[in-house]
Amino acid sequence: MTSPTAPLISFDQLQKNFGPLEVLRGVTGEIYPKDVISIIGPSGCGKSTFLRCLNRLEPISGGQLEVTGVDLSGAKIDQKHLRQLRVRVGMVFQHFNLFPHLTVLQNLLLAPRKVLQIPMAEAKDRALTYLDKVGLGTKADNYPDQLSGGQKQRVAIARGLCMKPEILLFDEPTSALDPELVGEVLNVMKQLAEEGMTMAVVTHEMQFAREVSNRVFFFNQGIIEEEGDPDEVFRNPKSDRLRAFLSRIQ
Ligand code: ADP
Ligand code: MG
């Protein structure tokens, strides 16, 4: 889908190697404001590595990458730009990554206080607002191990929102959950999408990809092999590999 606005993220012939292993082999595309991108593809094809490049958990090995106005193409980035980037680009992980020794509220206060240095009252206000939004307003004083997996992941999403990012990246946010807990997390993500949050989601939930995202990237062997509107991609896959992948997963 083309858009008159400038892309939030653009990447051109993006490459990432781990030593001799070429994981990303020339990934090209854009992510626009309000896009909800589903990233699908077989295990080991570079989906997580791609997300990690977008917020500089990994430096790239070649090509061009610009994320929310920050140029990540070079080998080095100064601390100021790195901090800006990490505020603008939030990430939600498969295994939640909450601090177990902190309460839910303390987990949510940490980055806004330390990184954004906003006053305590405002940080609390923000944290409670987003906890309410993910349906966990009553859990502020609980510790993570007192929550279900679905609740923990919703806390992790609220924590991401507390930084008011320009885009949220999700790496298989429901893959570690018992099946009956998947829906509550997807519902929160769907609500965010409806409110215009820009998101890129690595997922095996094809239903979510179809219903919620406006574009799908099919990664295969380190490239985007096919991309497009979900209806089109799922109904009418062009490449044999995507057809084979869909028949395995659905
Ligand atoms: P996906 O998320 O699509 O399953 P990944 O991006 O996690 O794939 O991994 C792609 C390939 O890169 C795999 O072969 C994986 O073993 C390798 N890889 C990922 N991270 C590292 C790393 N830090 N060091 C070496 N190899 C890695
Ligand atoms: Mg992965």
Side-chain angles (χ1 to χ4, degrees):
M1 201 168 79
T2 53
S3 165
T5 49
L8 205 55
I9 298 182
S10 54
F11 36 97
D12 188 17
Q13 290 300 318
L14 173 63
Q15 293 170 35
K16 174 67 188 177
N17 309 327
F18 291 109
L21 182 67
E22 297 181 347
V23 175
L24 300 179
R25 299 181 304 117
V27 182
T28 298
E30 287 105 17
I31 298 175
Y32 290 91
K34 299 190 195 297
D35 266 348
V36 178
I37 310 279
S38 287
I39 298 173
I40 64 172
S43 177
C45 67
K47 304 180 299 294
S48 295
T49 302
F50 175 67
L51 280 197
R52 292 167 62 82
C53 288
L54 299 186
N55 73 348
R56 193 68 181 201
L57 287 172
E58 297 289 351
I60 69 173
S61 310
Q64 305 295 316
L65 175 62
E66 194 178 311
V67 179
T68 66
V70 181
D71 185 358
L72 299 181
S73 306
K76 292 222 166 73
I77 173 171
D78 62 50
Q79 281 304 312
K80 182 177 143 233
H81 283 102
L82 188 60
R83 216 167 33 241
Q84 282 176 357
L85 178 79
R86 296 273 164 82
V87 171
R88 291 176 191 163
V89 183
M91 186 131 173
V92 174
F93 300 91
Q94 187 176 342
H95 294 289
F96 331 124
N97 298 11
L98 299 173
F99 287 108
H101 61 291
L102 299 180
T103 64
V104 164
L105 180 62
Q106 288 165 341
N107 266 283
L108 266 56
L109 291 175
L110 205 59
R113 292 283 291 146
K114 284 215 161 148
V115 181
L116 301 180
Q117 302 189 328
I118 62 177
M120 182 55 113
E122 190 186 333
K124 261 191 184 161
D125 204 42
R126 213 186 256 198
L128 294 174
T129 301
Y130 287 122
L131 267 185
D132 261 346
K133 191 179 196 60
V134 300
L136 295 172
T138 61
K139 300 291 184 189
D141 296 323
N142 285 91
Y143 285 87
D145 70 3
Q146 299 172 316
L147 304 178
S148 71
Q151 291 173 330
K152 281 185 225 182
Q153 192 59 297
R154 287 189 279 149
V155 170
I157 294 171
R159 176 182 55 184
L161 293 171
C162 280
M163 299 300 277
K164 300 197 182 218
E166 291 179 37
I167 179 169
L168 262 183
L169 311 176
F170 295 80
D171 194 356
E172 298 198 29
T174 60
S175 294
L177 301 178
D178 292 335
E180 73 271 21
L181 303 178
V182 168
E184 65 190 66
V185 173
L186 293 180
N187 282 339
V188 166
M189 294 169 65
K190 187 173 177 186
Q191 185 194 339
L192 293 178
E194 284 164 359
E195 291 169 5
M197 184 79 210
T198 310
M199 303 168 26
V201 185
V202 175
T203 187
H204 298 290
E205 297 290 337
M206 294 300 131
Q207 187 78 2
F208 174 89
R210 261 176 191 237
E211 279 180 16
V212 183
S213 54
N214 66 319
R215 284 160 72 209
V216 174
F217 293 172
F218 171 58
F219 269 69
N220 192 50
Q221 297 183 353
I223 59 165
I224 296 178
E225 171 125 6
E226 199 162 325
E227 75 125 319
D229 180 84
D231 269 349
E232 191 58 28
V233 165
F234 289 115
R235 244 188 246 148
N236 191 15
K238 292 189 195 70
S239 71
D240 291 342
R241 288 198 190 93
L242 175 54
R243 213 168 298 130
F245 173 75
L246 292 175
S247 70
R248 279 200 304 276
I249 201 163
Q250 281 174 327

